[in-house]
Amino acid sequence: MKPKEQGVTSLGAVTFYDLKSALYKGWADMRRAPLYGGVVASICVAFGLLLLWVTLATGKSYWLVFAAVGFPLFGPFTAVALYEVSHRLDYGEPLVFSEIFGVVLGQARRQLPSLCAIILMVFLFWFFLAHMIFALFLGLSTMTNVSTSLEVYLSSDGLIMIAVGSLVGALFALLLFMITVFALPMLLDREVDFVSAMIASFTAVQNNLILLVFWGAFIAVLTFLAMLPAFFGLYLVLPLFGHASWHLYRAAQARA
């Protein structure tokens, strides 16, 4: 396997052509190595279906909160498998199932868990703020249950809460995107600390803000649509964007 570079974190500009090229190369990688994308997608689909079943069976929506909190802990590890596949295809190395998932497990002894912890902290802070926003606008509203008293959301306070909450949530999503979109593949590719990787990722997005915000929104919309048919659209979307993210990182790396 190609030795990892030491301590280099600079990333260059990204163009619209790079986005198209990343999607094309991601599609090619997905077709060349469908097994790995299928395994990663199966893990995520099974997790989603399990939490949906538990939520419906118990009638307790707080299980969805557990899912939202838990996903940042294992989600990046599933992405690493796709990055490693594309990494090996880039360098013409053999795809060995045990070695690829051995690399994934090996990330537990490197910098990835620290980045996962940061992602989780941002999620938890967002949950805290979401409750604060709800209490600020609807804390005194008369209703028995937020899932059965839906008309309260159509009130003036409810609509303002939805607007403010959506704006704050979008800002948190943008922050997570900025610190992870290049940091995750960089931690696989190079021997750098997670703070340097996050700073490099944030700076790269800041320098290509409009284009990469479009990229992040494109991923978010297609991922949401992929979850609607019982999560099964993730079998297409997750491998495609996982491989494409690696190639977009490589394009930014090449222009550093």
Side-chain angles (χ1 to χ4, degrees), residues 7-12 186 190 200 249 252-256:
V8 182
T9 59
S10 58
L11 294 170
M186 181 179 287
R190 303 179 180 185
Y249 159 75
Q253 177 194 27
R255 294 200 181 94

Side-chain angles (χ1 to χ4, degrees), residues 79-98:
V80 165
L82 300 174
Y83 298 155
E84 179 64 15
V85 170
S86 290
H87 178 274
R88 289 176 178 243
L89 292 174
D90 267 352
Y91 292 104
E93 297 176 0
L95 299 179
V96 181
F97 192 89
S98 59

Side-chain angles (χ1 to χ4, degrees), residues 176-242:
L176 283 175
F177 175 74
M178 292 180 74
I179 65 175
T180 60
V181 62
F182 291 122
L184 288 171
M186 181 179 287
L187 289 177
L188 172 67
D189 187 44
R190 303 179 180 185
E191 291 293 351
V192 298
D193 62 274
F194 74 98
V195 175
S196 297
M198 287 168 54
I199 293 173
S201 181
F202 186 93
T203 303
V205 176
Q206 188 178 41
N207 293 338
N208 304 273
L209 188 61
I210 295 177
L211 193 63
L212 288 177
V213 167
F214 166 77
W215 174 249
F218 179 64
I219 292 175
V221 169
L222 286 191
T223 301
F224 174 76
L225 293 176
M227 291 191 294
L228 295 181
F231 300 98
F232 288 113
L234 296 178
Y235 277 102
L236 173 63
V237 170
L238 286 185
L240 176 61
F241 285 133

Side-chain angles (χ1 to χ4, degrees), residues 122-145:
V122 174
F123 261 90
L124 291 176
F125 189 54
W126 159 236
F127 284 139
F128 171 75
L129 280 185
H131 280 83
M132 291 280 291
I133 293 171
F134 180 87
L136 179 64
F137 290 100
L138 295 178
L140 298 179
S141 298
T142 302
M143 59 181 182
T144 58
N145 189 298

Side-chain angles (χ1 to χ4, degrees), residues 5-21:
E5 296 183 56
Q6 303 291 320
V8 182
T9 59
S10 58
L11 294 170
V14 174
T15 67
F16 187 73
Y17 171 79
D18 292 328
L19 300 185
K20 294 193 298 181
S21 178

